Amino acid sequence: GDSVTQMEGPVTLSEEAFLTINCTYTATGYPSLFWYVQYPGEGLQLLLKATKADDKGSNKGFEATYRKETTSFHLEKGSVQVSDSAVYFCALGPRGGATNKLIFGTGTLLAVQP
Amino acid sequence: DTAVSQTPKYLVTQMGNDKSIKCEQNLGHDTMYWYKQDSKKFLKIMFSYNNKELIINETVPNRFSPKSPDKAHLNLHINSLELGDSAVYFCASSHSGTSGNIQYFGAGTRLSVL
């Protein structure tokens, strides 16, 4: 079945460091790909998405490119801030339709130190 | 206004009790979900309703029964609570057929079974 694999955390970085969180997927068909972020004590929020190969999703300085050839959707940010500390989830889902089941990776905790 | 709201935020109860969690969305979406997040932050879908009809029912004990009185509400009733039910339960909603299928999450209900 479909699945998502994320790098295990925690990832600990100093402020202004470069961030990469790896995500690879296995899926039939052509899924949409997402990064969600969960700040402490809160629900998940969509960070960015891409719906087809070579699309780049971006938001708040974060970017991820849908790579069909490597089945990857790695999250990157050039300069992290303390406020980016959160758990990041990679997810895949169908492009549309009623059966809108998201499959999540295990989440990666990011801790940014001042 | 909160887009997806869940009540209660915290729920502490004894083993064997029956409890309910309520969810409401004011986004006009036609699909709603329940997810369970365990202590390791792993997030797994439990149920999904589209236009008040059950469309996703993962392998969840019969003690869990979702109910959708209308498109804006999806409640979760749990009978005979067990220690292993302790988790954070998230409600989410989306609009079916939309490319990219963005799901919007509530803030979660932290259930502790003693």
Side-chain angles (χ1 to χ4, degrees):
Chain A
D2 295 356
S3 65
V4 175
T5 302
Q6 277 182 248
M7 63 187 285
E8 285 204 24
V11 173
T12 305
L13 296 173
S14 298
E15 213 166 17
E16 299 184 3
F18 184 85
L19 168 71
T20 300
I21 300 178
N22 289 339
C23 172
T24 57
Y25 68 91
T26 303
T28 53
Y30 304 96
S32 293
L33 299 173
F34 308 83
W35 277 101
Y36 278 82
V37 58
Q38 184 179 25
Y39 297 104
E42 296 184 13
L44 278 73
Q45 304 172 26
L46 179 70
L47 181 60
L48 52 85
K49 70 179 178 85
T51 56
K52 60 183 187 299
D54 300 325
D55 267 2
K56 178 187 279 189
S58 60
N59 186 23
K60 299 181 182 178
F62 291 89
E63 291 184 342
T65 301
Y66 190 142
R67 301 279 188 209
K68 189 165 176 286
E69 64 276 12
T70 54
T71 61
S72 65
F73 193 54
H74 304 321
L75 182 69
E76 295 182 337
K77 187 174 185 182
S79 175
V80 293
Q81 305 300 313
V82 172
S83 57
D84 293 328
S85 299
V87 180
Y88 292 81
F89 292 90
C90 185
L92 69 83
R95 283 201 181 151
T99 319
N100 292 335
K101 177 178 169 180
L102 281 181
I103 295 170
F104 286 91
T106 51
T108 302
L109 173 64
L110 170 65
V112 180
Q113 299 174 339
Chain B
D1 269 346
T2 304
V4 182
S5 58
Q6 297 178 226
T7 53
K9 193 170 172 63
Y10 300 97
L11 188 51
V12 181
T13 188
Q14 301 287 331
M15 258 178 24
N17 284 350
D18 303 338
K19 290 293 178 186
S20 291
I21 307 172
K22 295 187 176 183
C23 179
E24 176 181 5
Q25 55 94 4
N26 62 6
L27 297 167
H29 289 161
D30 57 0
T31 307
M32 296 184 72
Y33 315 79
W34 279 110
Y35 288 87
K36 179 180 181 180
Q37 186 177 48
D38 63 22
S39 58
K40 295 184 179 179
K41 299 289 189 185
F42 184 64
L43 200 65
K44 192 167 189 303
I45 191 164
M46 300 172 69
F47 302 103
S48 176
Y49 273 73
N50 174 259
N51 285 316
K52 301 194 297 174
E53 280 193 40
L54 182 66
I55 55 169
I56 295 175
N57 184 355
E58 295 292 291
T59 309
V60 177
N62 290 340
R63 299 181 295 103
F64 290 79
S65 52
K67 280 192 173 50
S68 182
D70 55 57
K71 286 196 298 185
H73 296 85
L74 180 61
N75 304 323
L76 183 64
H77 187 75
I78 316 171
N79 289 327
S80 304
L81 278 155
E82 300 178 357
L83 294 176
D85 298 332
S86 296
V88 182
Y89 292 84
F90 286 101
C91 177
S93 72
S94 71
H95 183 68
S96 66
T98 303
S99 177
N101 180 31
I102 297 170
Q103 293 186 18
Y104 294 81
F105 284 76
T109 296
R110 183 173 294 276
L111 172 64
S112 298
V113 182
L114 307 177

